[in-house]
Amino acid sequence: MKKSGKILLTSLFLVLLTMVSCTHSKPSPGTDLYTGSEGYNRADSIVSDIGDTRNHKRVLEVIDSLEKAGELPLVRTIFYRTISYNLMGQYNTSLRLYAQLAGINPKQLNTQADLDCYIYSYNNYVRVLCEMRRYDRALREANAVDRKLKSIGYNGFTDHHDIAQIMGECQLYLGQTQLASKSFQKSLQGVHSRLATYHDPLDYRECQKTMYAIVKAYMLNGRHDEAEPWVTLQDSLYAIAEKSPERDSVFLDEMKADINYSKALLAHAQGRNDEAEHAFREYQSTRQAQLLSSVIHSTRYLMLTGRYEEAAHNYQELDHFLKESGYKADFDNFGRYMIPKFRANLLAGHIDSALHVATLVADYYDSAQVRQRRIDSDLLTTFYDTEGKERQIAEQRAKLSQQRLWSVVIGTVIFAIFVFIYMMQRRQAFKELNKKNRELMLANERAEESSRMKTQFIQQISHEVRTPLNVLSGFSQVLATPDIEISSDELQDISQKIVENSNRITKLVDKMLDLSMVNSNANVECSDTVAPADIAKQAVRQSGVSQAAHLDFLLQLSPEAETLHFVTNQKTAIKALVLLLDNAIKFTHPLAFKHAQAERQKARVTLSVSGTQQHVVFVVEDTGIGIPPEQAENIFAEFMQLDEYSDGTGIGLSIARSLARHMYGNIVLDTTYTNGARFVMTLPTNPDAKS
């Protein structure tokens, strides 16, 4: 076994021995939750010893046996299993296990060992989400567990240097640069706090890895000047570790490799080529650089500096590296390894090798697509934490689509037949919905500490579906009553309300489908050439804002909006703009708006469209209730509603922004506007330049 691989494995399984130093996980003074034994027992030693053998399947078998014997509680079982699955590269299995943490109440953890495992499991959970580029979700999970831990007197989860670094990285990739900088500074404070008390070689190495991760995040985002101070900090930490009486040659070698590699990339990016070459030679002189994983990853520098022949030579070991690491054929690994290998061979003039790589990518494409869909499905199942959720949504979608078809085709001509069929189907659907609601209520009772966002989502969906169902059921029962006399006007009114509530349910399902689409990483195809004015006019027509009786609507088109043509996805752009107009209609209700002139007693909604050679800008402005500036980002979170008593699911603005970003644009709230709310949607005129 290679020494570095041994260290990686043992550090994961012996992490329980250093958890107090790495997480500061002791409860705050005044609590008496963890008096007496820390809670580690014979089972922990057995798992650690077997873990040293790297026989992960055997480790899982032993964990199962110890759990059945009652020697391992649930939280420690989750901790050990996820470590094994992560080392085997089975991250989706780990995600399903991490979801069980939501059902564990930290107040009921009786030992320090259980609390340590709970904290470290969430630490790894957030890290895996970040590596899978689920940045929004990683931030939500980190903040949710931080609130839970604070309720028992633990105040250090998001302050720990690892978690603060991960949160900063997520914020950086989401474009929240100021928040990212604050998180990175909090991470540095965590490093200082740790090293003020603990001075083991492992402490120096872990703190340096945190700084190295921050450097990589800044470099990958092209913020080289902001990365430079962190490279200097790594140098200072290395000098301290080198002078330590307990210096560890393996850790020092790994630190030297990381630091010099980051120096090489930074110097090259800043045009200091001689310094870059010197740093890269220093990197290659380390034992860490000779490892197969390091050889593969160092090709990034070789490609940047035009050393294509050396890069192509390094990639000859890629197949062995992927097999040894347990990587699967998916889109992430295509982009991370296969495409760079293709480019290296192509630029090095190895045409046959480049064609071979391209053939492999083509052969694996279908399986990678299936695997990616399975990953996305697993993540959705984990998020909602409900068995059979996807099947139930598909069944409801089919039934609601069928009902919509009946209402459009048959209409009022054969209204009596439509009502009978509709009544029978809705009764069955209503029974199924009631059964599902009872199951969800029981699940909520078992998960007392489930996240507020999940609970609010279920309540909102229940309300949004139940309200039109009650209307439909009531009218169906009236129409089914024997010998009832209904006038033609009453019958027409009932027919109109049935159609309106059917459309309401259909719009809800459409929003859920949009939410499922935008949660994928794929960008929409932008191939439609259209004028901004056409998009605005179609969005106005589809939203019905110009027909809303409670408000005045104004469409302002600049000359460029009429003459300029740009490339986008017309259907998706219209949908995003319709969602913004729907939001304006909803929150300029006669009882909600507050800025219209008293003598008019009507709210106002304005849609302004302008454009340049680079961007097209749509501005939706209303005189409604407005949004506090501090909520400018929160309102775009999924299922977020500032007023929990208002109608809606809280996903409209989230879907609108995601649609815009899939077209390489964005939607923001203009916080300088104080007479209501003003949303600005910006789309590029040439999305190919953004891809």
Side-chain angles (χ1 to χ4, degrees):
M1 181 186 300
K2 295 181 180 178
K3 189 170 184 180
S4 61
K6 173 76 172 180
I7 290 172
L8 173 62
L9 181 66
T10 55
S11 64
L12 285 169
F13 276 102
L14 295 179
V15 71
L16 291 174
L17 300 178
T18 57
M19 277 186 179
V20 176
S21 65
C22 292
T23 65
H24 308 162
S25 57
K26 294 180 181 178
S28 298
T31 62
D32 56 357
L33 294 174
Y34 306 110
T35 56
S37 172
E38 290 186 342
Y40 302 110
N41 55 31
R42 182 181 69 92
D44 299 287
S45 299
I46 293 174
V47 174
S48 180
D49 291 341
I50 298 177
D52 288 340
T53 66
R54 294 183 71 92
N55 188 343
H56 307 308
K57 293 183 179 179
R58 175 59 180 160
V59 172
L60 292 172
E61 292 173 357
V62 171
I63 293 172
D64 290 340
S65 176
L66 292 171
E67 183 186 23
K68 291 179 181 178
E71 295 190 47
L72 276 179
L74 176 61
V75 66
R76 303 228 292 275
T77 301
I78 293 174
F79 175 65
Y80 287 128
R81 279 179 177 160
T82 51
I83 287 179
S84 298
Y85 283 124
N86 289 342
L87 290 172
M88 296 166 66
Q90 299 180 18
Y91 301 112
N92 293 318
T93 304
S94 292
L95 286 178
R96 286 191 287 271
L97 289 173
Y98 287 135
Q100 298 180 26
L101 293 170
I104 297 177
N105 186 348
K107 295 180 180 179
Q108 298 175 351
L109 300 177
N110 298 320
T111 67
Q112 184 67 45
D114 290 345
L115 180 64
D116 289 343
C117 289
Y118 181 80
I119 294 172
Y120 251 79
S121 294
Y122 259 111
N123 187 314
N124 293 334
Y125 186 15
V126 174
R127 187 184 303 277
V128 169
L129 289 173
C130 179
E131 291 176 353
M132 298 181 74
R133 293 185 289 182
R134 267 64 179 186
Y135 304 122
D136 283 330
R137 188 172 163 199
L139 291 173
R140 286 198 299 268
E141 293 294 343
N143 289 319
V145 70
D146 186 59
R147 289 192 297 270
K148 289 184 180 181
L149 290 171
K150 284 180 178 177
S151 70
I152 63 170
Y154 178 92
N155 297 313
F157 185 76
T158 56
D159 292 332
H160 181 252
H161 62 83
D162 270 1
I163 291 297
Q165 172 264 309
I166 295 172
M167 294 179 70
E169 186 172 340
C170 293
Q171 291 160 343
L172 192 61
Y173 282 111
L174 291 173
Q176 304 169 7
T177 55
Q178 292 184 345
L179 290 177
S181 178
K182 292 180 180 179
S183 295
F184 289 152
Q185 289 302 315
K186 184 185 291 186
S187 177
L188 182 59
Q189 293 173 6
V191 168
H192 289 319
S193 178
R194 176 173 179 174
L195 296 180
T197 307
Y198 305 100
H199 310 94
D200 289 338
L202 178 61
D203 295 300
Y204 292 120
R205 173 56 174 154
E206 290 297 319
C207 291
Q208 180 269 322
K209 285 167 64 178
T210 296
M211 296 177 182
Y212 181 57
I214 294 174
V215 172
K216 288 197 298 182
Y218 273 133
M219 292 288 291
L220 289 175
N221 281 271
R223 309 179 76 89
H224 307 118
D225 291 341
E226 292 167 89
E228 190 167 6
W230 293 94
V231 175
T232 304
L233 286 172
Q234 287 186 90
D235 262 341
S236 302
L237 185 59
Y238 178 79
I240 297 173
E242 193 173 30
K243 296 177 182 178
S244 172
E246 301 176 358
R247 64 195 307 273
D248 185 289
S249 60
V250 174
F251 286 151
L252 286 173
D253 182 77
E254 293 174 352
M255 293 173 69
K256 180 180 178 181
D258 286 351
I259 293 169
N260 280 284
Y261 189 65
S262 60
K263 282 183 177 180
L265 291 176
L266 179 62
H268 174 74
Q270 295 177 337
R272 296 178 282 112
N273 296 329
D274 291 341
E275 293 182 30
E277 283 298 311
H278 175 74
F280 189 68
R281 286 194 297 271
E282 288 292 310
Y283 160 75
Q284 289 183 310
S285 69
T286 63
R287 294 187 299 275
Q288 178 70 16
Q290 309 311 313
L291 298 178
L292 183 56
S293 58
S294 299
V295 170
I296 296 300
H297 289 114
S298 64
T299 52
R300 180 187 173 199
Y301 176 82
L302 297 175
M303 292 292 291
L304 288 174
T305 55
R307 293 154 68 171
Y308 306 124
E309 186 67 38
E310 295 179 56
H313 176 76
N314 286 358
Y315 274 127
Q316 290 178 0
E317 299 293 330
L318 178 61
D319 294 340
H320 178 62
F321 166 71
L322 294 177
K323 181 177 181 181
E324 182 182 87
S325 303
Y327 287 133
K328 305 296 183 181
D330 56 34
F331 291 130
D332 284 340
N333 288 325
F334 281 176
R336 190 180 294 118
Y337 299 113
M338 302 302 290
I339 301 304
K341 180 178 180 179
F342 168 79
R343 292 183 66 248
N345 281 284
L346 183 65
L347 294 174
H350 302 167
I351 305 302
D352 291 341
S353 298
L355 289 176
H356 175 70
V357 176
T359 302
L360 288 178
V361 172
D363 291 342
Y364 286 134
Y365 178 81
D366 289 338
S367 61
Q369 191 174 41
V370 172
R371 178 176 176 81
Q372 188 64 38
R373 289 174 180 170
R374 187 182 301 117
I375 290 173
D376 293 339
S377 176
D378 289 345
L379 289 173
L380 285 174
T381 300
T382 303
F383 181 76
Y384 295 117
D385 197 19
T386 305
E387 293 294 331
K389 189 69 178 182
E390 185 176 355
R391 177 182 57 80
Q392 294 175 10
I393 291 177
E395 291 174 354
Q396 291 181 2
R397 184 191 311 161
K399 293 177 182 178
L400 293 172
S401 298
Q402 183 179 10
Q403 292 159 10
R404 183 181 182 184
L405 179 63
W406 278 112
S407 64
V408 173
V409 176
I410 299 176
T412 57
V413 178
I414 51 175
F415 183 77
I417 298 176
F418 166 79
V419 170
F420 177 76
I421 296 174
Y422 188 86
M423 179 186 66
M424 298 301 296
Q425 293 179 340
R426 292 319 305 160
R427 282 182 178 177
Q428 182 62 30
F430 188 74
K431 291 179 181 179
E432 293 178 0
L433 184 60
N434 279 338
K435 180 180 179 181
K436 185 180 74 171
N437 284 339
R438 287 194 296 271
E439 293 173 352
L440 289 174
M441 290 175 64
L442 291 175
N444 284 335
E445 292 175 0
R446 291 193 300 267
E448 181 180 353
E449 296 297 328
S450 294
S451 67
R452 180 188 61 80
M453 190 172 295
K454 173 185 171 183
T455 302
Q456 183 179 353
F457 166 67
I458 294 175
Q459 292 172 346
Q460 290 166 342
I461 288 298
S462 175
H463 170 75
E464 286 295 305
V465 175
R466 190 185 295 112
T467 300
L469 283 179
N470 286 339
V471 174
L472 295 173
S473 178
F475 283 130
S476 298
Q477 293 176 14
V478 170
L479 293 173
T481 302
D483 303 326
I484 188 171
E485 295 183 0
I486 302 176
S487 67
S488 59
D489 291 340
E490 291 174 332
L491 188 61
Q492 184 176 2
D493 184 58
I494 291 174
S495 173
Q496 180 179 356
K497 286 184 169 55
I498 288 177
V499 172
E500 288 175 354
N501 283 276
S502 297
N503 290 336
R504 182 175 175 179
I505 295 176
T506 302
K507 287 182 179 180
L508 175 61
V509 174
D510 288 341
K511 278 191 176 182
M512 295 302 296
L513 294 176
D514 289 337
L515 179 62
S516 175
M517 186 275 288
V518 299
N519 277 334
S520 67
N521 282 331
N523 290 311
V524 299
E525 181 181 358
C526 296
S527 57
D528 301 325
T529 301
V530 63
D534 293 339
I535 291 177
K537 292 174 183 177
Q538 293 187 51
V540 170
R541 183 171 60 256
Q542 292 183 21
S543 67
V545 64
S546 60
Q547 306 300 320
H550 71 280
L551 57 82
D552 292 328
F553 174 72
L554 178 62
L555 176 62
Q556 297 178 340
L557 300 174
S558 70
E560 293 80 9
E562 298 279 2
T563 59
L564 176 69
H565 285 73
F566 73 113
V567 178
T568 188
N569 186 297
Q570 183 175 359
K571 181 178 179 181
T572 303
I574 293 172
K575 181 176 293 185
L577 191 54
V578 167
L579 289 171
L580 293 181
L581 292 172
D582 286 344
N583 186 76
I585 295 173
K586 176 180 177 182
F587 291 103
T588 53
H589 187 275
L591 298 179
F593 81 91
K594 61 184 180 181
H595 295 294
Q597 296 179 2
E599 62 271 14
R600 296 178 60 190
Q601 290 300 308
K602 293 186 75 174
R604 185 182 73 253
V605 173
T606 303
L607 172 58
S608 304
V609 187
S610 61
T612 66
Q613 292 300 320
Q614 290 76 34
H615 296 93
V616 175
V617 180
F618 301 86
V619 180
V620 178
E621 177 183 299
D622 63 58
T623 58
I625 60 176
I627 300 169
E630 62 272 14
Q631 299 290 343
E633 284 300 318
N634 291 339
I635 59 171
F636 292 105
E638 293 175 6
F639 320 121
M640 170 60 70
Q641 287 185 308
L642 300 184
D643 181 4
E644 63 181 8
Y645 298 105
S646 64
D647 292 334
T649 59
I651 61 177
L653 291 177
S654 174
I655 293 174
R657 171 179 272 191
S658 297
L659 291 174
R661 287 182 172 178
H662 280 311
M663 295 182 290
Y664 305 99
N666 199 10
I667 295 177
V668 298
L669 173 71
D670 184 357
T671 57
T672 63
Y673 180 72
T674 58
N675 291 329
R678 177 188 288 158
F679 290 91
V680 180
M681 180 172 77
T682 305
L683 297 178
T685 57
N686 184 13
D688 290 338
K690 302 285 185 180
S691 60

